[in-house]
C-alpha cells in the first residue's frame, strides 16, 4: 500500500495565549516602541542586567524577604518571587567563563573569557578561601582558557582534586517572560549541574527547531524547580520543558532584543559565580 510522505515530528502547534509584551503602566506614546538606536559609547561594562536565580535554602534572599522561598525563582532586579515554574522566550544565548574570588575575599571578578576561549588578561592572584588556613594562588600564564587549566576540577583549591574549577562556566540566556511583560529582558544564567540539565532539555530542543528552520525566539520554554540529591545533601535544580510556540508579538519582541542587546553582563556577577560554586550542586558529571 502506498503511503504519503511522512511528516517530521514537531512540537505542539498550540499557540501560547499571552498579553502583548508591553507595559500597561507606560504612557500611550511609549507603548510598542522599538529599542532606541545607540548613539553613546557605553559598552558591556556599563550594562548590568538582572537575573533569574533559583533560590536554595542558604540563599540570602530567604532571610531578607518574607516571600522568598527555597525552590522558587527570584528576579534579582525587582526582588520578586516568580514561583517554582517560569515560562520564558530566549532572545539570545552565549557561554563564557568568569574567574572570580569568593565574596569573603573581596576582590570580585579577576578575569573573564566572554568568548569561552580566551581570557581577557594574564595575572596572578592570592585568594582567601573560607575554611582554608592559608590563601591559595590562581595564575593565568596563557590567555587560552584550556591551557590555563583553571576550568578544570582541582583548581579552586590547588592540590585538592575534589575541589571544583577555579573558573565558573556560565550558560547565559537573555530572555523575556511572557507572563511578566513589564519586567523586560532578564538573564537566566546556569552553572554547574544546571548546565547538564540545559544540554539535555533545552539546548537539544533548540537545535532540533533550528535545524527545521524555526528560530529560538519563536519557542516558549518552561523552567521548573526540582529536588535533587548530592552526597553532601539535597538541593534545588532546574528542569526544562517545551511550552509551545510564541505568538507573533512576543516573537518579534524577542527577535528585536536579541538583535539590539549584543553585549551584556549580570549585574551581580561576582555573587552569581560564588553562589554557583558553593551550592551543594557540585558534580564532575556535567
Amino acid at each position: 500500500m502506498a503511503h504519503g510522505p511522512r511528516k517530521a515530528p514537531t512540537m505542539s502547534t498550540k499557540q501560547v495565549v499571552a498579553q502583548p509584551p508591553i507595559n500597561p503602566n507606560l504612557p500611550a506614546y511609549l507603548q510598542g516602541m522599538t529599542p532606541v538606536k545607540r548613539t553613546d559609547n557605553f559598552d558591556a561594562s556599563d550594562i548590568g542586567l538582572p537575573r533569574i536565580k533559583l533560590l536554595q535554602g542558604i540563599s540570602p534572599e530567604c532571610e531578607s524577604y518574607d516571600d522568598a522561598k527555597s525552590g522558587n525563582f527570584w528576579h534579582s532586579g525587582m526582588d520578586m518571587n516568580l514561583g517554582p515554574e517560569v515560562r520564558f522566550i530566549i532572545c539570545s544565548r552565549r557561554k563564557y567563563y568568569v574567574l572570580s574570588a569568593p565574596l569573603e575575599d573581596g576582590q570580585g571578578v579577576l578575569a573573564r573569557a566572554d568568548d569561552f576561549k580566551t581570557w581577557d588578561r594574564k595575572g596572578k592572584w592570592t585568594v582567601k578561601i573560607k575554611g582554608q588556613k592559608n590563601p591559595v594562588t590562581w595564575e593565568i600564564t596563557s590567555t587560552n582558557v584550556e591551557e590555563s587549566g583553571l576550568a578544570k576540577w582541582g583548581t579552586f583549591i590547588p592540590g585538592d582534586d575534589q575541589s571544583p574549577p577555579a573558573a565558573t562556566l556560565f550558560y547565559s540566556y537573555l530572555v523575556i517572560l511572557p507572563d511578566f511583560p513589564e519586567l523586560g529582558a532578564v538573564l537566566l544564567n546556569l552553572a554547574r549541574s544546571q548546565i547538564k540539565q540545559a544540554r539535555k532539555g533545552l539546548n537539544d530542543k533548540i537545535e532540533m527547531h533550528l535545524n527545521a528552520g524555526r528560530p529560538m525566539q519563536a519557542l516558549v520554554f518552561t523552567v521548573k524547580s526540582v529536588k535533587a540529591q548530592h552526597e553532601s545533601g539535597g538541593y534545588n535544580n532546574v528542569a526544562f520543558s517545551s511550552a509551545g510556540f510564541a505568538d507573533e508579538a512576543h516573537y518579534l519582541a524577542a527577535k528585536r532584543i536579541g538583535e539590539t542587546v549584543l553585549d551584556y553582563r549580570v549585574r551581580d556577577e561576582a555573587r552569581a559565580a560564588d553562589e554557583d560554586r558553593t551550592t551543594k550542586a557540585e558534580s564532575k558529571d556535567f
Side-chain angles (χ1 to χ4, degrees):
M1 181 181 293
H3 295 279
R6 295 181 62 185
K7 294 183 177 180
T10 63
M11 186 165 52
S12 170
T13 56
K14 183 180 179 181
Q15 289 288 321
V16 176
V17 179
Q19 296 298 317
I22 59 175
N23 188 342
N25 296 319
L26 289 175
Y29 74 92
L30 290 177
Q31 298 289 357
M33 291 189 70
T34 58
V36 177
K37 183 178 180 180
R38 297 171 61 92
T39 58
D40 54 49
N41 64 346
F42 278 58
D43 57 27
S45 65
D46 304 300
I47 303 173
L49 291 175
R51 62 185 171 113
I52 299 172
K53 60 180 291 187
L54 176 57
L55 297 179
Q56 306 288 338
I58 60 175
S59 297
E61 290 85 356
C62 292
E63 296 183 3
S64 302
Y65 299 93
D66 292 337
D67 59 342
K69 307 296 181 184
S70 176
N72 284 0
F73 293 95
W74 187 259
H75 190 288
S76 69
M78 298 298 291
D79 292 325
M80 178 181 175
N81 189 336
L82 301 175
E85 188 173 312
V86 180
R87 294 193 312 146
F88 64 94
I89 301 168
I90 300 172
C91 306
S92 62
R93 59 177 176 163
R94 64 189 177 105
K95 57 183 179 180
Y96 65 97
Y97 280 104
V98 167
L99 181 66
S100 177
L103 287 180
E104 61 268 15
D105 177 89
Q107 295 184 69
V109 174
L110 307 174
R112 58 187 310 110
D114 286 322
D115 65 353
F116 178 71
K117 300 176 181 180
T118 309
W119 291 117
D120 63 348
R121 70 194 68 180
K122 295 180 181 179
K124 186 175 183 179
W125 301 271
T126 300
V127 180
K128 298 177 183 178
I129 297 176
K130 187 176 181 180
Q132 295 295 307
K133 182 178 180 181
N134 298 316
V136 302
T137 299
W138 296 342
E139 185 173 9
I140 297 177
T141 57
S142 169
T143 56
N144 181 287
V145 170
E146 185 176 358
E147 291 178 359
S148 74
L150 293 175
K152 298 178 180 179
W153 275 77
T155 54
F156 182 64
I157 303 176
D160 180 358
D161 292 340
Q162 297 304 308
S163 71
T168 301
L169 170 63
F170 282 111
Y171 278 12
S172 184
Y173 302 84
L174 180 63
V175 306
I176 56 174
L177 312 179
D179 298 318
F180 302 94
E182 70 278 6
L183 297 181
V186 63
L187 289 174
L188 178 61
N189 265 25
L190 307 176
R192 309 295 178 191
S193 61
Q194 295 175 342
I195 286 180
K196 180 181 178 181
Q197 298 294 90
R199 287 174 176 168
K200 189 175 182 180
L202 181 59
N203 289 349
D204 56 340
K205 292 181 175 64
I206 293 173
E207 192 66 20
M208 179 190 74
H209 286 284
L210 289 176
N211 289 336
R214 296 183 288 268
M216 63 183 175
Q217 294 86 355
L219 311 173
V220 183
F221 292 97
T222 296
V223 59
K224 183 178 181 181
S225 173
V226 294
K227 296 293 184 182
Q229 195 67 30
H230 185 260
E231 60 185 19
S232 60
Y235 65 96
N236 301 313
N237 205 344
V238 295
F240 296 96
S241 60
S242 300
F245 293 103
D247 58 35
E248 186 176 10
H250 283 97
Y251 161 68
L252 291 175
K255 186 172 181 290
R256 284 196 300 266
I257 293 171
E259 293 171 346
T260 305
V261 185
L262 303 178
D263 225 355
Y264 49 82
R265 294 178 185 175
V266 177
R267 183 177 300 168
D268 53 347
E269 195 166 50
R271 180 175 294 276
D274 195 64
E275 289 173 350
D276 288 314
R277 183 166 47 218
T278 57
T279 181
K280 292 178 180 178
E282 297 284 5
S283 172
K284 294 182 180 180
D285 185 25
F286 70 83

